[in-house]
Amino acid sequence: MNYAITLEKFAETYKELEPLYRQHYAEMTERLEKSGIKYSPYNPRLDSYIKAGEDGWLLTFVLRADEKACGYINVYVTNDMHNNDLIAQEDTLFVTKEHRNGVGKKLVQFGLEELKKRGVKRLNVSAMTDLRVAKLWKRMGFKEAATQMLYTF
């Protein structure tokens, strides 16, 4: 299988990636519902995503296998409100089940290299769909810095 990873504009990739976004959301909500956490149906604010992408605050990294999309990372880049450092926050990171063979690590490494080139000081990530991915991140040098909690109304 021939894999390629590219940095692309959200607006230009949404139609191609939309089935993956839905698949990712379904896997995430299924896992959370097993813990008694209900999520609303998939209904993204596309206008906000598109504007953030056009303004350069949202980066979309796309993973393709033989030219067919099989994964992505969406990352927001902003300035830290406390010290003005350029920081990044992972919005979504997903690789389809049939391609979870180590290529996700390459996708993350590609994203990290691009963020570093841009002067980003920190990247915040969270494992929402599959908690096992946190082990991979630790092996890649990520540090556990907080515990994420969720309260639903």
Side-chain angles (χ1 to χ4, degrees), residues 125-151:
V125 296
S126 62
M128 290 288 286
T129 303
D130 186 340
L131 301 179
R132 295 173 296 180
V133 78
K135 292 177 185 175
L136 167 67
W137 290 336
K138 283 182 182 179
R139 289 194 305 268
M140 293 180 70
F142 285 78
K143 306 282 188 248
E144 193 170 324
T147 299
Q148 183 172 355
M149 305 296 289
L150 182 64
Y151 185 90

Side-chain angles (χ1 to χ4, degrees), residues 9-15 49-50 53-54 60:
K9 297 283 187 188
F10 178 86
E12 296 170 7
T13 63
Y14 182 74
K15 185 175 180 181
Y49 274 99
I50 290 168
E54 289 171 355
T60 300

